[in-house]
Amino acid sequence: MKTWCSLAFLWLAYFGHGTLSCPALCKCYHRSAEVVCNEVPLTEFPSEGLPENTTLLTIQFTNITSISEHHLSATPLLQGLHLYSNKLRNLSSNLLRGVPRLNTLDLTENQLVHLPPDVFSHAPLLSLVLKNNMISKADAEWLPDNSNLTWLDLSGNRLTEVPSALLRKLPHLENLDLSYNRLEKIPANSLDPLTKLERLNLKENKLGSLDASVFRNTRNLTYLFLPQNRLEKLPQSLFQGLAQLSVLGLEDNLLSHIPSGLLDQVSSLDEAGLDLTTNPWLCDGKVEYLWRWLQKNKKHAFLAESIICAKPQSLAGRPVVSLTESELNLQS
């Protein structure tokens, strides 16, 4: 009898405090303290019924349009919040005040345009993903000074610039993804605070040029992606100091030549780590440096045979690496 009473007491305590509660339309995995609301007709954040001990919350493919500090206060132990592909338009200021342990926030593919000041303050975020929204302006006021972020993804938005004031708040950043935006330039000193940066993705923007010193302080860069921009020329010392660079993407730009010595600065390239394809290479005497580099380093070039001459007409369609000294009018 005593055993039965003890079990009954434990049962009441367990259920009475709502430990096994779960919002309608969601699934709760109590052992792992995880809640998933996936492809359900939610229109409001499901605060009601969320277990207080939830540490990982995923809400995706719903019709939720806003989220506030009040909503998140229902899960004070939250560490990971994934809000992929909802209809979020609004985030409240001081959004993270009630989740002091949150380290991962993913807001991919919503309808966010403007974000208020302090929206990502008050929590020790390490990873912030704002991919595929409609953000046209990044604001330093989003984040606290000396942010803990190591991963920031702003790809697939409408940014024309990234303010230096925002980057100064990111001394621990290791990954920065700005691909698929509308960036026209990277100010000369703007990346200087990012001394721990290892991966930078600038794919598919509108960059027409790069300052010679833009990467001078990012000496830990290992992956640098610059394809599908409008780059016509590269400064001779652009990659100086990038001794750890293993992957460099320069494909699908407007490069006709590269300056002598440019690729000698990136001696740590992986096999097939350099992509120079889909550029309008002018195969005259000025292509000699690229031609000689390819002769010695062909294994480091991705699809080396696809680095093709666009001009002159007599050499159009020929792989640069296949040319002869006589065709380039070079002296032996």
Side-chain angles (χ1 to χ4, degrees):
M1 182 69 176
K2 185 181 289 187
T3 301
W4 185 91
C5 289
S6 297
L7 289 172
F9 176 80
L10 289 171
W11 186 91
L12 287 170
Y14 200 53
F15 282 83
H17 286 84
T19 308
L20 289 182
S21 62
C22 192
L25 305 176
C26 300
K27 294 180 179 180
C28 296
Y29 304 92
H30 296 283
R31 287 189 176 182
S32 59
E34 179 179 0
V35 178
V36 178
C37 312
N38 182 37
E39 295 189 272
V40 291
L42 287 174
T43 57
E44 295 184 358
F45 192 88
S47 300
E48 192 71 29
L50 277 174
E52 285 188 15
N53 69 334
T54 301
T55 59
L56 180 59
L57 175 58
T58 300
I59 301 174
Q60 55 189 10
F61 301 104
T62 77
N63 294 314
I64 294 173
T65 59
S66 65
I67 179 174
S68 70
E69 173 189 349
H70 172 72
H71 291 137
L72 294 183
S73 65
T75 52
L77 303 181
L78 200 62
Q79 297 177 26
L81 177 58
H82 300 269
L83 297 169
Y84 179 88
S85 197
N86 296 289
K87 302 289 177 61
L88 289 172
R89 299 189 188 94
N90 299 303
L91 305 178
S92 69
S93 189
N94 303 313
L95 176 68
L96 308 182
R97 183 173 283 168
V99 282
R101 301 184 184 187
L102 192 73
N103 58 59
T104 300
L105 177 59
D106 188 341
L107 290 156
T108 298
E109 207 161 301
N110 281 280
Q111 298 174 8
L112 299 170
V113 179
H114 301 292
L115 303 179
D118 295 320
V119 62
F120 303 125
S121 298
H122 311 297
L125 284 181
L126 299 176
S127 176
L128 174 60
V129 181
L130 292 163
K131 180 179 180 178
N132 293 351
N133 279 278
M134 297 180 285
I135 300 168
S136 58
K137 183 179 180 181
D139 194 336
E141 297 304 313
W142 293 348
L143 295 168
D145 292 334
N146 199 29
S147 166
N148 292 307
L149 279 182
T150 61
W151 187 289
L152 176 59
D153 189 342
L154 283 162
S155 63
N157 281 284
R158 300 174 180 178
L159 299 175
T160 56
E161 62 177 349
V162 178
S164 298
L166 174 63
L167 299 179
R168 283 196 294 269
K169 291 187 171 185
L170 302 170
H172 306 291
L173 201 65
E174 297 173 4
N175 180 90
L176 177 59
D177 195 337
L178 296 168
S179 59
Y180 300 98
N181 274 287
R182 302 171 183 178
L183 302 176
E184 296 182 359
K185 67 176 182 177
I186 306 295
N189 302 316
S190 62
L191 300 180
D192 285 359
L194 308 183
T195 57
K196 296 184 179 180
L197 194 66
E198 297 177 3
R199 188 182 187 99
L200 176 60
N201 193 344
L202 292 164
K203 179 179 181 179
E204 196 161 319
N205 278 282
K206 297 182 179 181
L207 299 173
S209 63
L210 292 169
D211 186 89
S213 64
V214 69
F215 302 127
R216 67 181 176 184
N217 276 13
T218 56
R219 296 179 181 272
N220 285 310
L221 267 184
T222 308
Y223 301 91
L224 176 57
F225 302 100
L226 291 160
Q228 293 173 257
N229 279 282
R230 301 173 180 177
L231 297 172
E232 296 184 22
K233 296 181 180 179
L234 299 176
Q236 186 175 27
S237 61
L238 182 62
F239 304 127
Q240 189 172 354
L242 301 186
Q244 299 186 51
L245 199 65
S246 59
V247 175
L248 173 59
L250 286 164
E251 70 272 21
D252 204 3
N253 275 284
L254 300 174
L255 299 172
S256 57
H257 297 108
I258 56 173
S260 179
L262 179 75
L263 300 178
D264 299 333
Q265 302 163 24
V266 286
S267 57
S268 59
L269 286 171
D270 285 348
E271 188 168 325
L274 173 65
D275 195 339
L276 292 169
T277 60
T278 325
N279 279 286
W281 299 108
L282 175 55
C283 292
D284 57 8
K286 291 182 180 180
V287 85
E288 178 184 0
Y289 169 71
L290 175 59
W291 175 74
R292 291 194 185 279
W293 189 90
L294 288 171
Q295 300 296 322
K296 297 178 182 179
N297 300 279
K298 185 176 179 181
K299 68 177 183 179
H300 294 298
F302 176 72
L303 297 178
E305 300 291 339
S306 296
I307 302 172
I308 301 295
C309 300
K311 293 180 179 180
Q313 186 63 38
S314 60
L315 297 176
R318 287 278 303 280
V320 173
V321 73
S322 74
L323 301 178
T324 64
E325 290 187 355
S326 60
E327 286 174 318
L328 292 174
N329 295 320
L330 302 179
Q331 295 181 354
S332 302

